[in-house]
Structure formats: structure tokens, C-alpha cells
Amino acid sequence: MIKTQLEAALIVGKVLTGASLTAVLQTAKHNNLTLSSQQRGAIQDLSYGVLRFYGQLDALLDQLLKKSLKDMRLRYLLLVGLYQLQYSKSPPHAVVNHAVSAARLLKSGKGTQGLVNAVLRNFLRRREVLQNEVMKNDVARYSHPQWWIDKLRRQYPRNYQAILNANNQRPSMTLRVNQQKIDVDEYQRLLEESGLGTQLIWNGAIRLTKPVNVQGLPGFTAGLVTVQDAGAQLAARLLDVHDGMRVLDACAAPGGKSTHLLETANMALTVLDNDSERLVRLTQNLDRIKVKAMQLVCGDAAQPAQWWDGKLFDRILADVPCSASGVVCRHPDIKWLRRESDLLQFSKNQLKILNALWPILNKGGKLLYATCSVFAEENGLQIEAFLSQHSDARQLTLTQAEMIEGQLLPDSQHNGFFYALLQKS
Ligand SMILES: C[S@@+](CC[C@H](N)C(=O)[O-])C[C@H]1O[C@@H](n2cnc3c(N)ncnc32)[C@H](O)[C@@H]1O
């Protein structure tokens, strides 16, 4: 446990000073080949857990420390220890003893082991009082930054607590069945026969009661199934694609929605993304499912002049880059890395992309604008602004019952998404 605590503390430290958790975990995996897969799993669990509850753990630590620590690595290690004591099944004495040994490895001066021991034991002794005290504060109570809580409270006065709580849950694993190859019922039976518990959500989305490694999924390599959140699985149906259409997936990588589109109808699909590395992953996904895009382009969706062949599209999917505020349970680092001011930049960029794609859509054609955000600035307000500037655009009503004006809020079944379907006259 010593190694995993220490490694998790260093990872948490990197994230809290600005790096993305996915990227840091990836680098740690490459750099530390001596770790077993079990240790890697434990490090990942600890890093995700600390970031999920960082608001609360940080406030508890402030209560426990008399003065600030010179070596921030020690603080990150204490956060890991507190997380384990609060949320894991590890025996408390083992957590404390191992954290003390891990502190020794940090070589951060005299007295550090004693300090780690005292802080963690003190927490165990005074847990209830401390907890009651810190929970008076929003950031500790919901483990989200104050600006985020305030914004959700303003935009969703009735749902903000449910959204914040959903963001702090462990994510579930949901599958999309390739219905070109197998019926949903039949695939669900295969899962159950493999001992996996399932729950049907909608349109063939199957949620597993417990996440598994993809290689353990029947027919994964043969392309029978793809891991995709149920909310993301709405895009292909909402876009209303049919055989023979010219379709553009404008922000396509890594291809979750492109492959779904290609499973839905026999179309001429152009996939576009401005990130060449992510396009490689998209190609691998197309290959696994054995579907083909007509054209694969690395380019800027806001600059069609650089890549467009001049033929109008019948359908466009604009799954634009966004704050990702709807997928916090999968990426708990997001809430600590984003700044409120980022939203303005995201929304400017989104509008630029939307404005650039509109002219290359055929008359009568449909464009589906999508984000995995819950903030109105990137969603409803964005579409309002767009419609006020384009008299040839009208917004079509979406029929998915779980959505409120195109907004799907995160809960235990799916992540948060926003969809707006626009038709050109
Ligand atoms: C939300 S992700 C897309 C997810 C994808 N549609 C899926 O379902 O797997 C947004 C994508 O937009 C790409 N992107 C960002 N800015 C872009 C731009 N100006 N032009 C094209 N792609 C862009 C990013 O590289 C990223 O892959």
C-alpha cells in the first residue's frame, strides 16, 4: 500500500497544479513499469477518489493542520490517507502505518512521519466533530468549486443538489449494441450468460451493474459492442440519418458517435477532427467495428474552406469541444481544473464552429449541436444567440422524455448532455 499511496499522492499533486488526470495516469503507467496491474488499479482508484472528494478532504485537512506544510507532497499524501480512512475498506491502522512509511520515503525532513501519524490519528478520533464542522461549507459539502455550485444553483434551482451528487458517484459502464450485427435482447442474454448483471436503459443501451475490462465483453473484438454512455447514444437517433445521405461528423474523434452513425444507416460519412492523434484512435474504432467512413479529414471545423469539397451535407453532427461539466463523474479532475472564465472561451469557439458549419448544410438539412455540458452558456443560451442571427434556422423539438429543452442532466443512468437539432429552410 505504501507505493500506491505515494504514487497516488504524486499524481493528485500534478493534477492540482494543472495537469489532466487521464494524461498523468497515462504517463505514470509508461514511467513506472515495475508496478503490478493490481497496484496500477489501486493507484487509479485512489487518485480518482481523492479528486472526487477533494473539496471535503482539503477542508478536513485544514482543520487538522496547525500551520501550512512546506512540502506540498506531504499534503497530497495526507489527502490520500484521509480519503482511504473516509471512503475505503482498508483497515484504518494499516492506512495510517503505511502513510507514515510513505512519508519517510519523501525525505522531507525531521518530524514528518510523526506529523502524518498525528494528523491521521487525530482525524480518526475527532471524525464526527470535524465532519460536522466542514460540511457547513458548500465546497466541502458538495466537493465542487464555489463558482460551479453557485452557477448550478442559479441555473437549476430545483436540481442542483442532485446534479452535484451525481457528479460525485463512481461512473457506471454502459454498452451500445451494434444492432447491425446482433439484437439487443440476444446480446443482453450473452452478457447474463457470462455472469454480468445488466440493466436496459433506452435504444439498446445496456448498463452493467459492475464495470469490467472490455476484453471480458462477449464479441468486443468482433465489434458487437462499444462502451458508450446512454446519453451519448442519443445523438445518432436524434440526427435522423437515412441511407444514401451525405453526413459530416465535424468534431468526431475518438469516434463514439461516428461509429454509431455508421451502424445506423448506409451513408457517405465524412469524419473531421483537428487532433491527428485522436483521429488515429478513431480509425482503430472504425476498424474494430468494421465500418468505413467515406472520408477522414484532419482539419478545423471553423475553417471549412481548408477541407470542404464544395458538396453540401444533408446532416451535420457538431459535437463541439466544451467544459465537459456533464461528465464529472468520469473525470473528477475537471471540476478543479476549469475556471469560470473558461466558459466564455468555450462558448466563443463553439459559436465560431456552428457559424462556419451552417453554410455547408443543405436546405432542409439538419444539424445536431451537442455538448457534454450542463452550463447554459454552452447550451441553451448558445442556441438562442445562434437562432437570433440566422433567420433560415429553426429549432426542432426533441422527443426524448428525460430531456428538459434538450438538456439531459447527469444521474445514475447516464452523464449530462445537451442536444439542439436545427433545420435549415
Ligand atoms: C467532445 S469531443 C468529440 C467526441 C466524439 N464526437 C465522440 O463521440 O467520440 C470534441 C472533439 O472536437 C475536436 N475539436 C476541437 N476543436 C476542433 C475544431 N476546431 N475542429 C475540429 N475538431 C475540433 C477535439 O479534438 C475532440 O476530439
Side-chain angles (χ1 to χ4, degrees):
M1 198 196 294
I2 303 168
K3 237 179 176 179
T4 52
Q5 283 178 328
L6 198 57
E7 190 70 23
L10 299 178
I11 288 171
V12 165
K14 284 188 185 139
V15 173
L16 292 176
T17 46
S20 121
L21 178 57
T22 315
V24 176
L25 280 171
Q26 197 61 21
T27 317
K29 201 164 134 186
H30 285 303
N31 291 349
N32 216 332
L33 298 172
T34 58
L35 296 169
S36 67
S37 65
Q38 205 184 1
Q39 282 174 316
R40 284 207 194 109
I43 291 166
Q44 182 162 323
D45 264 10
L46 289 180
S47 316
Y48 271 84
V50 172
L51 292 164
R52 193 163 285 135
F53 295 108
Y54 172 65
Q56 184 202 127
L57 302 171
D58 195 53
L60 286 169
L61 192 50
D62 277 345
Q63 297 274 315
L64 288 157
L65 287 171
K66 293 197 178 66
K67 53 181 185 175
S68 57
L69 296 169
K70 281 205 194 88
D71 185 347
M72 286 301 281
R73 294 174 309 164
L74 219 48
R75 188 169 177 99
Y76 306 138
L77 179 64
L78 283 165
L79 289 172
V80 172
L82 286 176
Y83 168 72
Q84 288 178 296
L85 295 177
Q86 274 287 64
Y87 294 103
S88 81
K89 291 191 183 112
S90 307
H93 66 274
V95 171
V96 177
N97 291 346
H98 289 152
V100 170
S101 305
R104 182 160 45 86
L105 295 179
L106 286 176
K107 296 193 177 95
S108 99
K110 259 171 82 185
T112 46
Q113 293 170 72
L115 178 110
V116 168
N117 188 44
V119 167
L120 296 181
R121 286 193 193 283
N122 210 354
F123 170 70
L124 287 171
R125 263 195 311 274
R126 298 172 51 214
R127 185 198 299 241
E128 217 176 298
V129 177
L130 291 170
Q131 219 159 258
N132 289 342
E133 185 55 36
V134 299
M135 290 306 194
K136 291 178 191 157
N137 172 284
D138 274 353
V139 176
R141 183 162 169 210
Y142 299 113
S143 271
H144 278 68
Q146 189 67 51
W147 70 264
W148 194 303
I149 301 168
D150 292 343
K151 191 177 280 300
L152 287 182
R153 197 181 267 136
R154 270 197 312 277
Q155 297 185 352
Y156 302 95
R158 289 196 307 172
N159 308 80
Y160 76 96
Q161 286 168 310
I163 299 173
L164 293 164
N165 286 333
N167 287 353
N168 288 344
Q169 302 307 310
R170 280 172 179 264
S172 56
M173 182 170 182
T174 304
L175 308 176
R176 181 187 86 223
V177 178
N178 183 348
Q179 297 182 48
Q180 265 188 348
K181 296 197 170 168
I182 187 164
D183 284 344
V184 175
D185 297 352
E186 203 180 322
Y187 191 77
Q188 193 176 13
R189 211 168 38 244
L190 285 182
L191 290 169
E192 299 277 350
E193 279 167 13
S194 313
L196 302 171
T198 63
Q199 180 201 4
L200 209 54
I201 304 188
W202 55 50
N203 302 334
I206 301 178
R207 180 171 173 266
L208 296 181
T209 43
K210 233 174 105 186
V212 292
N213 188 303
V214 288
Q215 298 307 333
L217 296 170
F220 178 78
T221 322
L224 290 196
V225 72
T226 296
V227 178
Q228 189 179 40
D229 186 80
Q233 292 189 38
L234 295 175
R237 183 175 63 79
L238 294 175
L239 189 56
D240 182 30
V241 283
H242 300 282
D243 287 355
M245 282 185 166
R246 276 179 56 83
V247 182
L248 169 68
D249 187 352
C251 298
K257 301 187 186 72
S258 320
T259 49
H260 196 190
L261 286 168
L262 290 164
E263 286 169 13
T264 307
N266 192 1
M267 68 189 76
L269 180 69
T270 298
V271 289
L272 173 80
D273 203 281
N274 68 353
D275 183 329
S276 56
E277 277 179 34
R278 285 171 67 91
L279 275 174
V280 173
R281 281 177 56 206
L282 186 147
T283 313
Q284 290 162 350
N285 284 328
L286 293 174
D287 290 348
R288 184 181 61 83
I289 299 175
K290 298 180 189 62
V291 285
K292 277 200 165 45
M294 183 189 71
Q295 211 188 0
L296 203 128
V297 188
C298 186
D300 182 352
Q303 310 267 350
Q306 293 176 357
W307 48 264
W308 184 48
D309 65 5
K311 293 185 192 138
L312 295 167
F313 292 100
D314 304 306
R315 296 287 183 270
I316 297 178
L317 172 60
D319 188 15
V320 292
C322 69
S323 64
S325 56
V327 293
V328 174
C329 75
R330 269 178 223 295
H331 303 284
D333 53 329
I334 285 174
K335 54 187 177 179
W336 309 113
L337 293 176
R338 294 272 178 268
R339 299 285 166 261
E340 188 171 9
S341 55
D342 295 342
L343 292 186
L344 184 64
Q345 202 44 49
F346 276 121
S347 93
K348 273 188 186 166
N349 194 23
Q350 290 154 355
L351 193 59
K352 226 163 100 184
I353 292 178
L354 202 46
N355 280 330
L357 294 177
W358 192 246
I360 64 174
L361 178 69
N362 222 340
K363 272 193 179 170
K366 295 177 185 175
L367 180 150
L368 184 68
Y369 174 85
T371 72
C372 56
S373 170
V374 293
F375 293 138
E377 292 84 341
E378 302 177 275
N379 298 344
L381 293 176
Q382 184 76 283
I383 296 303
E384 236 174 65
F386 178 81
L387 289 172
S388 72
Q389 290 160 16
H390 294 81
S391 56
D392 59 349
R394 77 184 171 106
Q395 187 172 5
L396 303 178
T397 309
L398 300 178
T399 49
Q400 190 74 28
E402 292 79 2
M403 293 196 299
I404 313 160
E405 292 176 4
Q407 183 72 61
L408 191 66
L409 295 177
D411 66 18
S412 59
Q413 311 279 304
H414 50 73
N415 292 153
F417 282 89
F418 174 79
Y419 291 108
L421 187 60
L422 305 172
Q423 186 164 38
K424 196 168 185 175
S425 55

